[in-house]
Amino acid sequence: MRARDERVTVVIITRDRCAELARTLGHMVALPERPEIIVVDNGSRDGSAAMVADRFPRVRLLRSDRNLGATARNVAVHQVASPYVAFCDDDTWWEPGALSTAADLLDAHAGLASVTGRIVVEPGGAEDPIVAELDGSPLPAPGWLPGPALLGILAGASMLRVTAFREVGGFSPRLWLGGEEELLAIDLAARGWWMCYRGDVVVHHAASSARDATERRRLGIRNTLWTTWLRRPVRDALRRTGVVVGSLPRDTTSARALAAAVAGLPWVVRERRVVPRDVEEGLRLLEEPQRRSVARRYVG
C-alpha cells in the first residue's frame, strides 16, 4: 500500500444525495494518494450521514443540523491540518494521480493559490464546455505560472492553498451557495495570489439530477450582482449590471433574483471594497468570453 500524501485533504459537502455521495466516496477512498477525506453533511434527511459512517469509516464525518451551503467547506477547512485542500462535490471525483499533480504544482510555486483541473463529464468522458474557456483564458500571466491564468475557481474541481483560503475568509456566508467561488477568487487576486488551470489534473463530473435548477439560478443571479457591486468600481459595476440584467430571461425567477439583490444593497455598501486596478483589468478582459460562453447560462 502506498503511503498517504499528507499534503492534501479532500473536502466534500453534501445534502440529500446518498447514492451519488457513495459513488464519489468509492472513487476517492480508492485513490493512490490515500488523502484524508472530510465530508460535511448539510442536514441530509436521506440517511447520507449514516451511510458514510457505516460504509466509509476512514472518512471524517462532520454533521450539521442545517444546510450551511458553501460555507460548510469553511467548517471543514477550519479543521484541515494539511497545506492544501481539494474541494470535491458529491457528484465529482478526482482521477488517480490528479491530487498529487496539483499538490506538486502548489509546492513548486509559492505565489499560486489554486489549481483548477480539466473536467470530464460522465458517462462518456467528454470535456465539459467550461474547459475550453479555462484553457483559452485571455488573462496575462507571469512566466512562472504553470498554466493559463484564472480569476476564478470551480469548487468541485480545484485544489487550494489552505493559508490563502483562510487569508480571504473562505466562502461568504452572505452568498451561501450559487456562484460563490467568484467572490473568493477575486479576493485572492486582490491580495496578490495567482490561480491557474491545468489540463493534466483531471476531475470527473456525473451531474446529479437531485438539484433545484430554478433556485440555483435565482441564487446565481443574485450572487453575480452582489459580487459585482461589492468589488468593482462604480462605472464598471453599473455597466456590468446592465449586461447581466439584459441577458436574463424575463421570468419570475429573474425578478425574484433582482429583488433579492436590491434588498441586499445596505450590506453591500457597508462591505464594499474595490479591487486593485490590475484585477479590474482582468475582470474586464473576461467579460466578452463570459458573454459568449455556452457554459455560463442562467437556465433552469
Side-chain angles (χ1 to χ4, degrees), residues 85-117:
V85 58
F87 291 125
C88 186
D89 288 339
D90 49 20
D91 59 358
T92 67
W93 59 92
W94 291 63
E95 190 166 282
L99 292 173
S100 290
T101 299
D104 289 344
L105 292 167
L106 289 165
D107 277 349
H109 304 287
L112 184 62
S114 75
V115 176
T116 294

Short mmCIF file of all heavy atoms in Angstrom, two decimals, residues 85-117:
data_model
loop_
_atom_site.label_atom_id
_atom_site.label_comp_id
_atom_site.label_asym_id
_atom_site.label_seq_id
_atom_site.Cartn_x
_atom_site.Cartn_y
_atom_site.Cartn_z
N VAL A 85 -6.01 21.93 0.28
CA VAL A 85 -7.33 21.32 0.36
C VAL A 85 -7.89 21.19 -1.05
O VAL A 85 -7.86 22.14 -1.84
CB VAL A 85 -8.29 22.14 1.26
CG1 VAL A 85 -8.45 23.58 0.76
CG2 VAL A 85 -9.64 21.46 1.38
N ALA A 86 -8.36 20.00 -1.37
CA ALA A 86 -9.00 19.75 -2.67
C ALA A 86 -10.50 19.68 -2.44
O ALA A 86 -10.97 18.84 -1.67
CB ALA A 86 -8.49 18.45 -3.28
N PHE A 87 -11.23 20.57 -3.09
CA PHE A 87 -12.68 20.54 -2.97
C PHE A 87 -13.26 19.56 -3.98
O PHE A 87 -12.77 19.41 -5.10
CB PHE A 87 -13.26 21.94 -3.18
CG PHE A 87 -12.94 22.88 -2.07
CD1 PHE A 87 -12.31 24.10 -2.30
CD2 PHE A 87 -13.24 22.56 -0.76
CE1 PHE A 87 -11.99 24.97 -1.28
CE2 PHE A 87 -12.94 23.42 0.29
CZ PHE A 87 -12.32 24.63 0.02
N CYS A 88 -14.31 18.91 -3.55
CA CYS A 88 -14.94 17.88 -4.36
C CYS A 88 -16.43 17.92 -4.05
O CYS A 88 -16.81 17.99 -2.87
CB CYS A 88 -14.34 16.53 -3.96
SG CYS A 88 -14.85 15.13 -4.96
N ASP A 89 -17.26 17.94 -5.05
CA ASP A 89 -18.70 17.86 -4.82
C ASP A 89 -19.11 16.41 -4.68
O ASP A 89 -18.34 15.49 -4.97
CB ASP A 89 -19.46 18.52 -5.97
CG ASP A 89 -19.33 20.04 -5.96
OD1 ASP A 89 -19.03 20.60 -4.89
OD2 ASP A 89 -19.53 20.66 -7.02
N ASP A 90 -20.35 16.18 -4.25
CA ASP A 90 -20.78 14.80 -4.10
C ASP A 90 -21.08 14.12 -5.43
O ASP A 90 -21.39 12.93 -5.47
CB ASP A 90 -21.99 14.70 -3.15
CG ASP A 90 -23.10 15.68 -3.49
OD1 ASP A 90 -23.14 16.18 -4.63
OD2 ASP A 90 -23.93 15.97 -2.60
N ASP A 91 -20.98 14.88 -6.53
CA ASP A 91 -21.14 14.26 -7.85
C ASP A 91 -19.88 14.44 -8.72
O ASP A 91 -19.94 14.36 -9.94
CB ASP A 91 -22.38 14.80 -8.57
CG ASP A 91 -22.35 16.31 -8.79
OD1 ASP A 91 -21.38 16.96 -8.34
OD2 ASP A 91 -23.30 16.83 -9.41
N THR A 92 -18.74 14.72 -8.07
CA THR A 92 -17.47 14.79 -8.79
C THR A 92 -16.44 13.94 -8.06
O THR A 92 -16.56 13.67 -6.87
CB THR A 92 -16.92 16.23 -8.89
OG1 THR A 92 -16.56 16.70 -7.58
CG2 THR A 92 -17.94 17.17 -9.51
N TRP A 93 -15.41 13.50 -8.79
CA TRP A 93 -14.31 12.78 -8.16
C TRP A 93 -13.03 13.01 -8.95
O TRP A 93 -13.04 13.22 -10.14
CB TRP A 93 -14.61 11.28 -8.02
CG TRP A 93 -14.87 10.57 -9.31
CD1 TRP A 93 -13.96 9.93 -10.11
CD2 TRP A 93 -16.14 10.39 -9.96
NE1 TRP A 93 -14.57 9.38 -11.21
CE2 TRP A 93 -15.92 9.63 -11.15
CE3 TRP A 93 -17.45 10.80 -9.66
CZ2 TRP A 93 -16.94 9.29 -12.02
CZ3 TRP A 93 -18.48 10.45 -10.53
CH2 TRP A 93 -18.22 9.71 -11.68
N TRP A 94 -11.90 13.00 -8.22
CA TRP A 94 -10.60 13.25 -8.81
C TRP A 94 -10.02 11.96 -9.38
O TRP A 94 -10.16 10.89 -8.79
CB TRP A 94 -9.64 13.85 -7.78
CG TRP A 94 -10.01 15.25 -7.38
CD1 TRP A 94 -11.16 15.65 -6.75
CD2 TRP A 94 -9.22 16.43 -7.55
NE1 TRP A 94 -11.14 17.01 -6.54
CE2 TRP A 94 -9.96 17.51 -7.02
CE3 TRP A 94 -7.97 16.67 -8.10
CZ2 TRP A 94 -9.49 18.82 -7.03
CZ3 TRP A 94 -7.49 17.98 -8.11
CH2 TRP A 94 -8.24 19.03 -7.57
N GLU A 95 -9.36 12.08 -10.52
CA GLU A 95 -8.74 10.92 -11.16
C GLU A 95 -7.47 10.52 -10.40
O GLU A 95 -6.81 11.37 -9.80
CB GLU A 95 -8.37 11.28 -12.61
CG GLU A 95 -7.94 10.11 -13.45
CD GLU A 95 -7.94 10.46 -14.93
OE1 GLU A 95 -9.03 10.48 -15.54
OE2 GLU A 95 -6.83 10.70 -15.46
N PRO A 96 -7.12 9.22 -10.38
CA PRO A 96 -5.88 8.82 -9.72
C PRO A 96 -4.68 9.62 -10.22
O PRO A 96 -4.49 9.80 -11.42
CB PRO A 96 -5.75 7.34 -10.11
CG PRO A 96 -7.18 6.88 -10.29
CD PRO A 96 -7.88 8.06 -10.90
N GLY A 97 -3.90 10.13 -9.27
CA GLY A 97 -2.72 10.92 -9.58
C GLY A 97 -2.98 12.41 -9.68
O GLY A 97 -2.03 13.21 -9.60
N ALA A 98 -4.23 12.82 -9.86
CA ALA A 98 -4.53 14.25 -10.04
C ALA A 98 -4.23 15.06 -8.79
O ALA A 98 -3.74 16.19 -8.87
CB ALA A 98 -5.99 14.43 -10.46
N LEU A 99 -4.53 14.50 -7.63
CA LEU A 99 -4.27 15.24 -6.39
C LEU A 99 -2.77 15.50 -6.21
O LEU A 99 -2.36 16.61 -5.85
CB LEU A 99 -4.82 14.47 -5.19
CG LEU A 99 -6.33 14.35 -5.08
CD1 LEU A 99 -6.70 13.42 -3.93
CD2 LEU A 99 -6.99 15.71 -4.88
N SER A 100 -1.96 14.48 -6.47
CA SER A 100 -0.52 14.66 -6.32
C SER A 100 0.04 15.64 -7.34
O SER A 100 0.93 16.45 -7.02
CB SER A 100 0.20 13.31 -6.46
OG SER A 100 -0.07 12.49 -5.35
N THR A 101 -0.48 15.60 -8.56
CA THR A 101 -0.03 16.54 -9.58
C THR A 101 -0.32 17.98 -9.17
O THR A 101 0.55 18.86 -9.28
CB THR A 101 -0.69 16.24 -10.93
OG1 THR A 101 -0.34 14.91 -11.35
CG2 THR A 101 -0.27 17.23 -12.00
N ALA A 102 -1.53 18.22 -8.70
CA ALA A 102 -1.90 19.57 -8.26
C ALA A 102 -1.06 20.01 -7.06
O ALA A 102 -0.61 21.15 -6.97
CB ALA A 102 -3.38 19.64 -7.93
N ALA A 103 -0.84 19.10 -6.11
CA ALA A 103 -0.03 19.43 -4.94
C ALA A 103 1.41 19.74 -5.33
O ALA A 103 2.03 20.65 -4.76
CB ALA A 103 -0.08 18.29 -3.93
N ASP A 104 1.95 19.00 -6.30
CA ASP A 104 3.30 19.28 -6.78
C ASP A 104 3.41 20.70 -7.34
O ASP A 104 4.41 21.40 -7.12
CB ASP A 104 3.70 18.28 -7.88
CG ASP A 104 3.95 16.88 -7.34
OD1 ASP A 104 4.12 16.72 -6.12
OD2 ASP A 104 3.97 15.94 -8.16
N LEU A 105 2.37 21.13 -8.06
CA LEU A 105 2.37 22.47 -8.63
C LEU A 105 2.33 23.54 -7.53
O LEU A 105 3.05 24.55 -7.60
CB LEU A 105 1.17 22.64 -9.56
CG LEU A 105 1.20 21.81 -10.85
CD1 LEU A 105 -0.16 21.82 -11.52
CD2 LEU A 105 2.26 22.33 -11.80
N LEU A 106 1.53 23.30 -6.51
CA LEU A 106 1.47 24.25 -5.40
C LEU A 106 2.78 24.25 -4.61
O LEU A 106 3.24 25.30 -4.13
CB LEU A 106 0.29 23.91 -4.50
CG LEU A 106 -1.09 24.22 -5.12
CD1 LEU A 106 -2.20 23.53 -4.33
CD2 LEU A 106 -1.34 25.71 -5.18
N ASP A 107 3.40 23.08 -4.48
CA ASP A 107 4.72 23.01 -3.84
C ASP A 107 5.75 23.86 -4.58
O ASP A 107 6.58 24.55 -3.97
CB ASP A 107 5.23 21.56 -3.83
CG ASP A 107 4.68 20.73 -2.68
OD1 ASP A 107 4.06 21.30 -1.77
OD2 ASP A 107 4.87 19.50 -2.71
N ALA A 108 5.69 23.80 -5.91
CA ALA A 108 6.72 24.42 -6.74
C ALA A 108 6.55 25.92 -6.92
O ALA A 108 7.49 26.61 -7.32
CB ALA A 108 6.75 23.75 -8.12
N HIS A 109 5.35 26.46 -6.62
CA HIS A 109 5.07 27.86 -6.93
C HIS A 109 4.40 28.53 -5.73
O HIS A 109 3.18 28.42 -5.54
CB HIS A 109 4.18 27.96 -8.17
CG HIS A 109 4.76 27.26 -9.37
ND1 HIS A 109 5.83 27.77 -10.07
CD2 HIS A 109 4.44 26.08 -9.95
CE1 HIS A 109 6.13 26.94 -11.07
NE2 HIS A 109 5.31 25.92 -11.02
N ALA A 110 5.19 29.24 -4.95
CA ALA A 110 4.70 29.80 -3.69
C ALA A 110 3.63 30.86 -3.88
O ALA A 110 2.84 31.12 -2.97
CB ALA A 110 5.86 30.38 -2.90
N GLY A 111 3.56 31.48 -5.05
CA GLY A 111 2.56 32.51 -5.29
C GLY A 111 1.26 31.99 -5.87
O GLY A 111 0.36 32.77 -6.17
N LEU A 112 1.16 30.67 -5.99
CA LEU A 112 -0.02 30.05 -6.59
C LEU A 112 -0.99 29.65 -5.49
O LEU A 112 -0.65 28.91 -4.58
CB LEU A 112 0.41 28.81 -7.39
CG LEU A 112 -0.65 28.06 -8.19
CD1 LEU A 112 -1.27 28.95 -9.26
CD2 LEU A 112 -0.04 26.80 -8.82
N ALA A 113 -2.23 30.16 -5.59
CA ALA A 113 -3.24 29.85 -4.58
C ALA A 113 -4.09 28.66 -4.94
O ALA A 113 -4.58 27.95 -4.05
CB ALA A 113 -4.15 31.05 -4.36
N SER A 114 -4.31 28.42 -6.25
CA SER A 114 -5.21 27.33 -6.61
C SER A 114 -4.86 26.76 -7.97
O SER A 114 -4.31 27.44 -8.84
CB SER A 114 -6.66 27.80 -6.62
OG SER A 114 -6.93 28.60 -7.75
N VAL A 115 -5.20 25.48 -8.11
CA VAL A 115 -5.10 24.77 -9.39
C VAL A 115 -6.48 24.20 -9.69
O VAL A 115 -7.04 23.46 -8.88
CB VAL A 115 -4.06 23.64 -9.32
CG1 VAL A 115 -4.04 22.85 -10.63
CG2 VAL A 115 -2.68 24.18 -9.00
N THR A 116 -7.03 24.57 -10.84
CA THR A 116 -8.32 24.04 -11.28
C THR A 116 -8.08 23.04 -12.40
O THR A 116 -7.32 23.31 -13.33
CB THR A 116 -9.24 25.16 -11.75
OG1 THR A 116 -9.56 26.00 -10.63
CG2 THR A 116 -10.54 24.61 -12.33
N GLY A 117 -8.73 21.89 -12.29
CA GLY A 117 -8.47 20.81 -13.23
C GLY A 117 -9.40 20.77 -14.42
O GLY A 117 -10.36 21.54 -14.52
#
